[in-house]
Amino acid sequence: MKDAEETRKRLLGLAEMLYDQFQKGIVPHLALPSRTKSNLEYDQDGEIWVYGDQESVRSVKTIRGAKSVLKTTYLVELLINEHLRQNRGSTLREIYYISENWDIAKFGEQAESDRLVEDLEILTALLREDFHVRPEEDGATVFGPLTISEKTRRGERTIHCQEDVGEAGYQIPFNVDNVEFKEHDAKFVIAIETGGMHARLIENGFDQEHDAILVHLKGQPARSTRRLIKRLNEELNLPVVIFTDGDPWSYRIYASVAYGAIKSAYLSDYLVTPAAQFVGVQPSDIVNYDLSTDKLTDQDLQALRSEMTDPRFATDYWKEQIQLQLKLMKKAEQQAFAGKGLDFVTRVYLPERLSEMGMI
Amino acid sequence: MEIAEELAKHQKAISVAEFFEKNRQILGFDSAPRALITTVKEAVDNSLDACEESDILPDIFVQIVRRGEGFRVVVEDNGPGIVGPEVPRVFAKLLYGSRFHALKQSRGQQGIGISAGVLYSQLTTGRPTAVTTKIGPNHRAGRWELMINTATNEPEILKTEETEWDRPHGTRVELEMEGSYVRSRRQSIYGYLKSVAIVNPHARITLVEPDGNMEVFERATDKLPHSSYEIKPHPLGMELGGLIKMLRYTDKKKLKSFLSGSFSSVGAIITQEICERAELDPEMLPQDVTHAEATRLLAAFKEMRLKSPPTDCLSPIGEELIRAGLEKEYRVDYIATSTRSVSVYSGSPFQVEVGLAYGGELKADGKVDILRFANRVPLLYQQGGCAITHAIENISWKTYSLTQPGGGVPTGPAAILVHIASTNIPFTSESKDAVADVPEIVAEVELGLKEVGRKLRRYLSKKSALSERREKEEIIRKLLPRISKKLSELLEREEPDINPVVAKIMGNLLVKRSVVSENGESFVTLEVANYGDAAKAFKLHETVSVEAKAIEPDARVIALGDGYDHLWKLSLRPGERREIKYKVPSEGVSFSEPVVEGVPSELVSGARVVG
């Protein structure tokens, strides 16, 4: 986190750059790395995926570009004058509504304002937390032998993530850097895609039996969830495994935790856990455990084929699994294990897989 | 009419009613809606042909009245009328007509048309057809009630009388028949007449529908189409049977005079050569030519290098009238037309005309409308089997800014009109619904389509350049000033000068003055830059309250009442930039905005424009 003064300076620097372009008779423009699959590059040192050299330029030469530059100036003004100067904050959705008053600089939809906030993160090399911008989505939950202390607006709270929480677990705050890890008895972290499976593992006492910290991903994980996983991995030196459904969308959940997301690769450094490993459901599990399955839909097939050209999946392991799935033409949910009995997943599947991976 | 007689004799073996039943489809009476359309079509074709032959601007009235289960069809024109003795045969004898053998561009050809309607009428309702006609203001009108004797194919006159008619001349035919009236689609009487109106903009056509609704297709021009005339057959178009008949019935006494007198593009020298090749005596009696000799004669025809048949016998619609016709029936943004020069296939001259209407009320989704015409007659049926459609499908329309998903007929807000004029249109069948795939014709249609396609592409790219200019104006008028204002508020600085950026975006001529003061003197620089892609020559005026010193380059200085005009004549290439310098005292000097003379004001930033 940067302090408010530094953040203000960097945002003003952006305005200054545009101002100078006018003064020098240069057509004002902003250059950003293009956030596409083809511009992903593997960074050997950090073992993460980051953006390459391809740039997209937003120039006032076009209406779109000019509107986007205008909106950028309005947003910068909001962040400096309302957020930083007054120590307030807004959610992404609130920003979208605030722009109602900006006349022609008004955002067409929330996705547009969200994207522009991300653009500002890239342009200033800051995080949206620095701008006092919050996401709507609450972070996911954590359950396991871990004690944390969280700085809240109403003082510091120390919480044990098994003893001091209900069955829903500890709710991850949007700014994970306000959380400090105190102590733990965990051997590894298991991040779970679906609520159903997360609850199954708690009910079956998986966290106690295997000294595991359970993180509920809630589908495609929020930034705070990814940040927390990264910190658990780096600060506490805990191995991380990801447990999802067995379909192309779930592989992308794993990829965003372990490799970084295509749309936010500029944050890879901050969010990505390269050491995270994929437990399953693997396409080979569908065969090995004879799981109940659904047919792949056309969208599934398209997603799988797109993953074949995704640099993040260009490993032997993923090529083999994806090709196997294309051959099977089937997918399976995490809950499919229930067909073998409610204990099967914690008694048989996970122990087998985790010992295979050298985790237990 | 020898052949007509022969054919009619042949028909006697079976009754004409039977002939009709067997050939309903090729005659165009195979369904209830189509029977009505065909009847109207035959009658209207006759009216238009008759008017054209007599240089009359057609005024045609069509009325469809419900009569019990069936309909009464009335078609009335202001044509030349028909002389009394001809009336029964024209309307109540199959295969009777004046055009059956004339090699001339006309709408009807077989002479089967209206009499088939008469026959259909009497077969389905048992009622006679009424014909009223008048050949001039000083004649009385005649009225006939006619039927066809189905055993002999001879007219039967049920009633004939003289009568009063307020028209100076014209013909009115009334038929009663079974049928069904549809309106919504192109294959309807309304759709047919609308198409007729497009290619016959010199005609006024009035339609009264069964529900009483009246549609008037108003004429768009008083100019009659240049009239077609009859030509002799061209040897390359001859077939053996036709040649043998011509040989038998000619009144020429010698083969050589038969050849040079009966065919187009054949003179004395060619006649000589044909006879030599066919090894025939030029002096022999044409009637004496045997079957084998006729075959040799025909072979000689095909070996000769002959002039093309005369081409001025055709009557194209003309680009101007195609445009007028399309404009009159469609509200569109743009119309492109093309007229190909006359070409020849197998000895028959033909000419292709193409029109393309774009935008406006035409629907953007779905296939483009195809309007097919042969000798000014709309072709309504068998679109998929027609050479015109095939030519359209052969074009890669993407090149011309229309989409063509999956190939075939393109998609977009367009209507394509193709007219083929010929002395002999090669139809795929007797019902004359589709043009056969003659390679020469397909190729000509394709060339015409490509020409209108190129025009469309030019139009659309011009339009998009215009909208680009409009877009840029929005940027410079609405967006840039706000950006610069917001930036100056944020940074708490003066608003930046946006003129240089505006000039760059618009490709304008930029004039920018900057002043540096030092030791009581102001050093002024006028920066002039041409960001456009064309060279600009102009005069630049700088009006100052005192006379400037150290002017570089030299200026003409004109003393005004209250100051001095400094004038430079400049010429800047695209991308070129110049600096003009001078100095004035720092105190007590006032400037006016620089003035540019000789460049349109929308192409200048940072200066006032005069002249």
Side-chain angles (χ1 to χ4, degrees), chain A residues 12 15-16 18-19 22-23 25-28 60-63 66-67 69-70 73-74 76-77 103-104, chain B residues 471 474-475 478-480 482-484 486-487 489-491 493-498 500-501 504-505 512:
Chain A
L12 277 179
E16 232 163 280
L18 291 169
Y19 187 93
F22 269 117
Q23 288 288 59
I26 299 166
V27 176
V60 302
K61 242 187 261 177
T62 65
I63 290 236
K67 282 195 171 156
V69 169
L70 181 64
T73 60
Y74 271 87
V76 165
E77 185 192 39
D103 192 30
I104 50 170
Chain B
E471 171 170 318
E474 188 182 343
I475 295 174
K478 281 165 76 181
L479 296 168
L480 288 188
R482 279 173 193 252
I483 295 174
S484 80
K486 201 42 73 180
L487 289 172
E489 283 170 12
L490 261 173
L491 299 167
R493 293 187 201 167
E494 285 284 305
E495 271 194 48
D497 176 10
I498 64 170
V501 171
K504 270 194 182 165
I505 291 176
K512 191 184 172 194

Side-chain angles (χ1 to χ4, degrees), chain B residues 9 64 70 83 92 200 228 232 239 252 258 272 322 367 425 442 458 482 489 494 505 508 567 570 579:
Chain B
K9 261 182 232 154
I64 315 293
V83 290
N200 295 283
S228 53
K232 293 171 196 156
E239 283 170 358
K252 296 287 190 300
F258 165 74
Q272 189 65 34
I322 288 182
K367 304 279 182 196
I425 303 261
V442 174
R458 266 201 302 280
R482 279 173 193 252
E489 283 170 12
E494 285 284 305
I505 291 176
N508 279 2
L567 169 63
L570 297 171
E579 280 188 355

Side-chain angles (χ1 to χ4, degrees), chain A residues 68-82:
Chain A
S68 159
V69 169
L70 181 64
K71 288 169 189 179
T72 307
T73 60
Y74 271 87
L75 183 59
V76 165
E77 185 192 39
L78 169 80
L79 299 179
I80 291 176
N81 290 351
E82 307 288 330

Side-chain angles (χ1 to χ4, degrees), chain A residues 19-189:
Chain A
Y19 187 93
D20 289 347
Q21 287 173 342
F22 269 117
Q23 288 288 59
K24 289 180 186 152
I26 299 166
V27 176
H29 61 275
L30 298 166
L32 288 150
S34 60
R35 293 197 257 162
T36 56
K37 192 162 75 180
S38 63
N39 193 30
L40 282 185
E41 277 178 12
Y42 189 65
D43 172 27
Q44 295 286 348
D45 302 335
E47 298 180 324
I48 52 174
W49 290 90
V50 294
Y51 292 127
D53 298 332
Q54 292 174 30
E55 278 194 338
S56 72
V57 173
R58 229 157 282 165
S59 156
V60 302
K61 242 187 261 177
T62 65
I63 290 236
R64 258 172 73 109
K67 282 195 171 156
S68 159
V69 169
L70 181 64
K71 288 169 189 179
T72 307
T73 60
Y74 271 87
L75 183 59
V76 165
E77 185 192 39
L78 169 80
L79 299 179
I80 291 176
N81 290 351
E82 307 288 330
H83 283 190
L84 300 173
R85 186 169 299 160
Q86 328 223 0
N87 196 22
R88 305 282 305 267
S90 320
T91 66
L92 287 165
R93 185 142 193 86
E94 281 169 334
I95 288 181
Y96 164 64
Y97 282 120
I98 290 168
S99 81
E100 290 277 319
N101 306 314
W102 294 355
D103 192 30
I104 50 170
K106 179 176 126 183
F107 295 113
E109 51 179 2
Q110 198 197 325
E112 194 189 351
S113 51
D114 289 0
R115 218 163 27 235
L116 197 53
V117 170
E118 289 171 357
D119 289 347
L120 280 185
E121 291 183 292
I122 299 176
L123 287 165
T124 58
L126 294 168
L127 293 172
R128 64 185 179 206
E129 287 80 5
D130 298 319
F131 306 145
H132 302 190
V133 174
R134 297 185 289 267
E136 265 65 44
E137 85 249 14
D138 34 15
T141 54
V142 178
F143 198 94
L146 168 72
T147 306
I148 58 103
S149 88
E150 179 183 339
K151 267 186 247 146
T152 74
R153 283 181 185 266
R154 297 168 193 190
E156 198 163 307
R157 305 287 152 89
T158 304
I159 297 161
H160 188 277
C161 296
Q162 274 166 329
E163 290 156 15
D164 302 335
V165 296
E167 286 203 337
Y170 167 67
Q171 176 94 38
I172 303 165
F174 85 87
N175 191 347
V176 180
D177 292 324
N178 289 335
V179 174
E180 202 183 316
F181 301 134
K182 292 292 188 193
E183 51 190 15
H184 74 93
D185 294 316
K187 295 208 178 81
F188 67 97
V189 176

